[in-house]
Amino acid sequence: MTSKVCKYPSVFLSFLRPCYCNVFLLLMTMLMIAVHQASASNAPPQTQPTVLILYGRVSNLQSNTTINKGLLSALKVAGVDERYQYQEYLDLARHPDPDYRRELTRFLKIKYSGVRFDAIIALHRDAGDFMLSEGRELFSDTPMVAVVSKRLESMPQGKRRIVQLVYSLDAFSTINMALALLPDTREVLVVSGATEDDAPYLGNAKDALKSYEKKLSVKYLASESLPEVVKEVAKARDHAIILYTRLIKDASGDTYLPTAALAKVSQSSTSPVFGLYDSLLGAGIVGGDLLSFEKLGKETGRLAGALIAGQADLEHVISFTGHGPMFDWNEMQRWGLQKSRLPKGSVLINYRLGFWEQYWKYVIISLLFISGEAVLILYLIWNRNKRFQAEAGRKASERLLHSYLSNSSIVSWMKDEEGRHVFRNDTFCKRFSAQPNDWQGKTDFELWPQDIAEEFRRNDHQVLASGNTLETIEPVVEMTGETSWWLTTKFLFKDAQGQRFVGGLGIDITQLKKVQDEADRQHAMMTEVINATDVCLVYLDLDFNFVAVNNAYAATCRMRPEDMVGRNHFALYPGEEVEDLFRQVRDTGVPAYIRERPFEFPDQPERGVTYWDWSLIPVQGHNGSVIGLVFTLLETTERRNAQEERLKLERQLQDAKRMESLGILAGGIAHDFNNILTAIIGNVELALLHSDTDSSVRENLVRIEKSAERAADLARKMLAYSGKGRFFVTPVDLNSTIEKLAGVLGSTVSPKAELLFDLTKPLPLVEADPDQISQIITNLVANASESLGDQAGTINVTTSWQDCDLQCLERSKFSESVPEGRYVLLEITDSGCGMDQETQGKIFDPFYTTKFTGRGLGLPAVQGIVRGHKGAIQVESEPGRGSRFRVLLPAGGLEGTCMSSLS
């Protein structure tokens, strides 16, 4: 916006980088002070009331234009002449940094050092906050009118008298008017910006819509970028309206004029758009109960006049309620809305009046025109004198500016629209050994190499075409042939005749660029090194968001590094325990190291449980505080599995060695013991042959013979355990063997036990010793019966055959490894007391028994027999749930099938 009463507005360039901002601000401040002092001699003497108007925002806001319309007219009514109305656009929203605000304060203090203000007007909360903080000492005894949307709490009065003019919005009345125009409305979309500055407007809408929670569906579009909002409102909807509050900055950080953002929304919308204030009329809203910024400006000017007049009855806080029904006839026709539904007293813009309604004012004005000619001539004479004074001040400012640029340490130049050089300061000439006559009127193509000249000209054209300032980095070939790099700022400049020029300022950043290039090279090298390692590595910020991710980590998560950056670690992999550990490292600064931590990927269940070595290391800043976390992981699943497999093999080897040692011992004892028993039994039999039947010693000899036979049976079991027993191998049908033993087995089990048979037919034959197989069955059934004790239960004898792989055979804990292949299975299952893991580990040890009496060689003998037949045993048992013994014997063929059944 260009104000008609703006006196020497402040210029604060936002395009400079932070490293040069302070230097440039200082130079520009000195320049503006000189300009102000040079022109002060031409300013009219200060004999009338003087007002300083501070805008918190930029000058091109439509709301500023509307407020000015009422404000300036009210100030004129209050006796403040245009020449004594000073305006400053502070642009605080785009420059929140304290350095800018402090420099702005110093600039205003110096600029207006010779001016005494009778009143200050602070428009927008930004300006009010600025005057209460950094500007509290500016014109401290001058009263102020602060125009704010929300009351400034605890505002100190001090030497300065402050009146707050608090304006409010009325979204509730706007919604009511919209529903009156569109009674079938069922949905409301609220469009708002994402900044704190937009929050009061959005909050007013939310408070108003609470009354419609049950009647209307409400959707807030405040967390999306403007393109996303435009895409959303463009969707086809039935019976919907849009409430536009204000949008200065969207969720993506892009800034807009509120009217420009509204125009995009309105043009794409499939539903009518309503607003909250009158500066939006004509930009795309239908209307509503709108806050009148023009009336707000008039009230502000009235209060400023009252302060100047010294009225003491003004309240500290004044509420402004200047709302009214206002509508755009073009938008009403676009959506087919009826004028008859508008509230009484509504203001319509763009309404097509009849000829007399439209032109009666012009007729009256025409009649008055002649009488006003004399006044106009007088005004033109006065204005001409004023223009002459301004021209004299401008020429003085130009001379001062030329002197400043010629002696500045910054390289500066100016070219016309054709690219011909018309000015270079002394610094430029010294830096590039340029004589004025050598450069004057020449183009870049006559002075620089072709490629560099083309880049210069391309940037100049961009400034001429857009009219905007351009900041860029350009290369320059020195007299030595080396290339230097310059941070240049190019801007459009016009002289008094309107001729356009391209001005430029340059700062040598060659050394800075070399440092930056080296830093980029080091960063690229470190990135390459980090991505080349197999260790998973990430860098997290203090909220545990991914800042950097190497390829190994991303590949483990089956994602790309660029897709992970910015996402939260615990959004991907939740875990309260792990999150507590991360917080502990972040808060204490003490690193954490964890070995072989188990983890299951929620999105990769096929991987099962994996194991990882962790390191979580805090990264500290210059002041010692934690600024991030380095998280590294190394998968140890294969290493852990290999260790477990090695331990398993070691245990199996130890068990095999132990069993082998016991077998050798048992076999040796049984062999020698059997030889002794052979002599005893032979001598007893000879003694029985030569003794009389009625001899008293015969009974003793019989008892000796029976004891020797039991000892021989014990020896046979020990030989069976050792695997050195004599086997008479022949094809055996396991079903036939069981059926032959059925009667014997039934008599040996407990009377309360129920013996059941489930025999699979046909069944492959096994190459085995029939007597040894019978001993296996008898011992296992007897063992099952003993597990029942005096309790009732069942004993199941089952046969089957199966093709076993290594995974199946690995469950055979008590036998040597056997090859894959087809096996005949004998299962003995009972419902007895069962065994714990410790007992299961000892049941095949010689002489181990859980009974009060007994030799404890039944199951070891079974193991020895099975081992001798190249078979395997599997045991499953739990305390209180019975036991299952499975004997696996290598199968032959399907011959010799037993067809008989058990009776």
Side-chain angles (χ1 to χ4, degrees):
M1 180 186 96
T2 302
S3 173
K4 294 184 294 184
V5 295
C6 181
K7 301 290 288 183
Y8 320 119
S10 61
V11 179
F12 280 81
L13 301 179
S14 62
F15 53 80
L16 286 180
R17 295 188 177 180
C19 58
Y20 309 111
C21 184
N22 291 336
V23 175
F24 194 84
L25 284 176
L26 179 60
L27 293 174
M28 292 307 299
T29 301
M30 294 171 60
L31 174 63
M32 293 307 300
I33 292 170
V35 173
H36 172 68
Q37 291 176 348
S39 60
S41 60
N42 297 318
Q46 187 175 334
T47 59
Q48 295 189 15
T50 307
V51 176
L52 176 61
I53 305 172
L54 299 177
Y55 294 87
R57 314 292 167 73
V58 294
S59 61
N60 57 349
L61 293 177
Q62 182 63 32
S63 58
N64 288 344
T65 304
T66 310
I67 290 176
N68 272 346
K69 186 177 180 181
L71 172 62
L72 302 184
S73 63
L75 287 176
K76 189 173 183 180
V77 172
V80 182
D81 190 78
E82 288 181 340
R83 296 175 296 170
Y84 296 91
Q85 300 173 11
Y86 293 78
Q87 296 185 357
E88 294 290 342
Y89 293 89
L90 306 182
D91 201 9
L92 294 168
R94 291 196 303 160
H95 300 281
D97 56 290
D99 290 340
Y100 175 87
R101 299 168 74 96
R102 286 193 295 269
E103 192 65 24
L104 178 62
T105 304
R106 191 167 69 88
F107 173 81
L108 293 175
K109 184 180 295 184
I110 296 174
K111 179 177 179 179
Y112 294 109
S113 59
V115 182
R116 181 188 61 79
F117 294 105
D118 298 279
I120 297 175
I121 297 174
L123 294 171
H124 308 301
R125 186 182 184 93
D126 313 47
D129 287 337
F130 170 79
M131 290 300 295
L132 291 180
S133 54
E134 289 82 358
R136 60 181 176 273
E137 297 301 327
L138 282 175
F139 325 113
S140 57
D141 57 346
T142 303
M144 182 175 74
V145 178
V147 182
V148 293
S149 60
K150 184 179 180 181
R151 179 178 177 180
L152 299 172
E153 299 295 333
S154 303
M155 176 181 282
Q157 293 286 333
K159 293 184 294 182
R160 188 198 310 277
R161 184 181 181 191
I162 302 175
V163 175
Q164 294 187 52
L165 182 59
V166 183
Y167 64 88
S168 60
L169 306 171
D170 193 355
F172 182 80
S173 297
T174 294
I175 294 297
N176 284 339
M177 293 179 184
L179 294 179
L181 288 171
L182 298 158
D184 295 331
T185 299
R186 294 195 294 268
E187 184 180 10
V188 178
L189 279 74
V190 180
V191 177
S192 177
T195 66
E196 183 179 358
D197 203 35
D198 298 321
Y201 297 81
L202 179 60
N204 183 265
K206 288 183 176 180
D207 293 339
L209 288 168
K210 287 180 180 178
S211 304
Y212 297 95
E213 290 178 348
K214 297 182 179 179
K215 181 179 179 181
L216 299 174
S217 171
V218 181
K219 183 173 184 179
Y220 295 95
L221 303 177
S223 301
E224 294 82 4
S225 65
L226 181 58
E228 292 173 341
V229 172
V230 170
K231 184 178 180 181
E232 181 65 25
V233 301
K235 295 179 180 179
R237 287 182 168 86
D238 294 330
H239 311 298
I241 63 172
I242 297 174
L243 178 62
Y244 178 88
T245 60
R246 189 178 70 165
L247 193 154
I248 289 182
K249 181 182 289 186
D250 64 7
S252 65
D254 294 331
T255 58
Y256 302 89
L257 293 175
T259 51
L262 169 61
K264 292 178 179 295
V265 172
S266 178
Q267 290 169 5
S268 302
S269 174
T270 58
S271 304
V273 183
F274 293 82
L276 301 178
Y277 44 91
D278 62 351
S279 62
L280 300 178
L281 274 178
I285 65 168
V286 174
D289 190 20
L290 307 183
L291 171 68
S292 173
F293 279 124
E294 181 178 354
K295 292 181 180 178
L296 179 62
K298 288 183 178 180
E299 181 64 12
T300 303
R302 185 190 70 80
L303 291 175
L307 287 176
I308 294 172
Q311 293 184 12
D313 57 345
L314 291 178
E315 297 180 2
H316 176 55
V317 179
I318 299 175
S319 297
F320 178 78
T321 56
H323 303 84
M326 305 179 195
F327 298 88
D328 187 344
W329 179 246
N330 287 341
E331 290 296 320
M332 291 189 64
Q333 287 187 312
R334 172 188 175 187
W335 301 107
L337 304 179
Q338 300 177 13
K339 180 182 176 184
S340 60
R341 291 181 178 270
L342 295 177
K344 292 183 179 180
S346 297
V347 176
L348 269 178
I349 68 169
N350 298 321
Y351 181 69
R352 278 70 170 176
L353 301 173
F355 179 83
W356 175 248
E357 291 177 318
Q358 189 172 1
Y359 298 107
W360 68 271
K361 292 182 180 180
Y362 298 99
V363 174
I364 295 176
I365 291 174
S366 299
L367 296 175
L368 298 175
F369 179 75
I370 297 175
S371 61
E373 281 185 336
V375 176
L376 178 60
I377 293 172
L378 293 175
Y379 172 77
L380 292 175
I381 295 173
W382 173 82
N383 189 57
R384 180 185 179 188
N385 292 333
K386 182 180 178 181
R387 187 169 62 253
F388 285 164
Q389 292 177 357
E391 181 68 18
R394 183 189 62 78
K395 290 181 178 180
S397 298
E398 287 181 358
R399 288 193 297 271
L400 179 63
L401 177 61
H402 187 277
S403 176
Y404 161 73
L405 292 176
S406 295
N407 295 281
S408 172
S409 61
I410 299 176
V411 170
S412 61
W413 65 92
M414 188 175 297
K415 291 178 280 189
D416 62 17
E417 289 189 80
E418 303 300 325
R420 293 185 293 266
H421 284 261
V422 298
F423 170 79
R424 298 148 314 285
N425 70 346
D426 293 343
T427 306
F428 186 105
C429 296
K430 293 177 182 178
R431 184 67 169 81
F432 299 106
S433 301
Q435 297 299 323
N437 294 333
D438 296 338
W439 287 66
Q440 191 73 20
K442 293 186 178 181
T443 66
D444 290 327
F445 292 95
E446 300 175 85
L447 302 170
W448 305 106
Q450 180 75 16
D451 54 343
I452 293 179
E454 288 178 353
E455 182 174 352
F456 288 171
R457 190 57 180 158
R458 183 167 56 252
N459 293 336
D460 292 346
H461 279 155
Q462 183 176 343
V463 174
L464 290 169
S466 66
N468 297 326
T469 300
L470 173 65
E471 180 185 2
T472 185
I473 296 177
E474 295 178 333
V476 174
V477 177
E478 303 282 350
M479 298 295 295
T480 61
E482 297 181 355
T483 301
S484 59
W485 297 88
W486 294 76
L487 173 65
T488 61
T489 301
K490 296 188 175 183
F491 50 89
L492 187 64
F493 181 83
K494 294 183 181 180
D495 63 7
Q497 289 74 37
Q499 185 176 355
R500 301 196 306 168
F501 299 87
V502 176
L505 302 172
I507 301 175
D508 188 354
I509 60 167
T510 304
Q511 294 301 320
L512 178 62
K513 190 174 188 304
K514 289 181 179 178
V515 173
Q516 182 64 45
D517 290 344
E518 177 63 20
D520 292 342
R521 189 187 69 80
Q522 293 288 345
H523 180 268
M525 181 179 68
M526 290 303 299
T527 300
E528 184 176 350
V529 170
I530 290 172
N531 284 329
T533 180
D534 292 335
V535 177
C536 299
L537 187 147
V538 297
Y539 181 71
L540 306 169
D541 63 17
L542 297 181
D543 295 322
F544 313 130
N545 299 313
F546 292 105
V547 177
V549 180
N550 77 339
N551 291 339
Y553 188 93
T556 299
C557 301
R558 296 182 180 176
M559 298 178 69
R560 298 184 302 173
E562 57 269 25
D563 294 335
M564 301 186 71
V565 172
R567 300 183 66 178
N568 189 272
H569 177 277
F570 295 103
L572 286 176
Y573 303 114
E576 293 183 4
E577 180 182 352
V578 177
E579 190 169 359
D580 290 340
L581 174 63
F582 276 50
R583 287 198 183 97
Q584 179 181 348
V585 174
R586 178 194 64 186
D587 298 339
T588 63
V590 179
Y593 304 93
I594 301 176
R595 289 183 57 83
E596 294 190 354
R597 181 180 181 88
F599 180 75
E600 294 185 62
F601 288 87
D603 55 344
Q604 304 177 43
E606 71 279 0
R607 294 182 65 175
V609 179
T610 57
Y611 294 87
W612 302 82
D613 284 350
W614 284 15
S615 68
L616 189 61
I617 303 173
V619 179
Q620 296 180 341
H622 297 297
N623 58 357
S625 62
V626 176
I627 60 175
L629 300 174
V630 174
F631 182 34
T632 64
L633 303 97
L634 180 63
E635 186 171 4
T636 60
T637 306
E638 293 185 0
R639 183 182 70 189
R640 179 185 175 91
N641 292 340
Q643 289 175 348
E644 290 181 350
E645 183 65 23
R646 180 176 57 81
L647 292 175
K648 178 181 177 181
L649 292 175
E650 287 179 356
R651 287 194 297 269
Q652 290 179 350
L653 180 59
Q654 291 173 358
D655 290 343
K657 288 182 177 179
R658 179 172 61 85
M659 298 302 292
E660 182 180 4
S661 299
L662 290 174
I664 293 172
L665 176 62
I669 293 174
H671 182 74
D672 293 341
F673 188 42
N674 195 47
N675 291 337
I676 297 171
L677 288 175
T678 300
I680 293 173
I681 293 174
N683 288 308
V684 169
E685 289 179 349
L686 290 174
L688 286 174
L689 289 175
H690 294 88
S691 65
D692 297 331
T693 56
D694 56 352
S695 174
S696 60
V697 298
R698 186 177 183 85
E699 183 178 351
N700 293 329
L701 292 173
V702 171
R703 283 199 294 270
I704 291 173
E705 183 181 29
K706 290 182 179 180
S707 297
E709 289 176 352
R710 286 196 298 273
D713 180 64
L714 177 59
R716 285 192 298 273
K717 289 184 177 180
M718 292 176 68
L719 287 171
Y721 168 73
S722 66
K724 296 180 179 179
R726 293 184 177 181
F727 293 171
F728 299 96
V729 178
T730 184
V732 175
D733 180 5
L734 188 58
N735 288 339
S736 299
T737 303
I738 293 173
E739 289 173 344
K740 292 176 182 178
L741 290 174
V744 176
L745 296 175
S747 62
T748 58
V749 300
S750 170
K752 295 183 179 181
E754 183 181 4
L755 184 62
L756 303 175
F757 297 90
D758 182 10
L759 307 180
T760 299
K761 299 178 181 180
L763 195 67
L765 302 178
V766 295
E767 296 292 332
D769 186 329
D771 294 337
Q772 299 290 339
I773 297 300
S774 299
Q775 186 175 349
I776 291 174
I777 298 170
T778 303
N779 286 345
L780 290 179
V781 171
N783 186 71
S785 178
E786 290 174 357
S787 71
L788 292 174
D790 297 332
Q791 303 296 323
T794 58
I795 300 174
N796 292 282
V797 180
T798 305
T799 61
S800 61
W801 60 274
Q802 180 179 343
D803 290 326
C804 297
D805 55 14
L806 290 178
Q807 185 178 2
C808 171
L809 296 171
E810 282 179 355
R811 297 197 300 269
S812 305
K813 302 179 181 178
F814 304 106
S815 297
E816 299 176 355
S817 59
V818 293
E820 294 180 331
R822 180 166 296 177
Y823 287 84
V824 175
L825 276 64
L826 169 66
E827 283 192 17
I828 309 296
T829 307
D830 65 72
S831 59
C833 59
M835 298 176 288
D836 56 23
Q837 290 295 326
E838 182 180 1
T839 302
Q840 292 182 47
K842 298 178 180 179
I843 56 175
F844 291 99
D845 291 347
F847 307 108
Y848 175 79
T849 179
T850 57
K851 300 177 291 183
F852 292 105
T853 61
R855 294 179 297 274
L857 282 174
L859 292 179
V862 169
Q863 184 194 29
I865 296 170
V866 172
R867 186 167 60 240
H869 285 79
K870 308 301 181 183
I873 302 177
Q874 297 176 350
V875 180
E876 298 176 7
S877 182
E878 291 184 23
R881 302 187 66 176
S883 303
R884 172 181 293 176
F885 286 80
R886 303 176 77 216
V887 177
L888 289 77
L889 298 173
L894 287 174
E895 301 174 0
T897 304
C898 179
M899 302 302 294
S900 61
S901 60
L902 297 174
S903 58

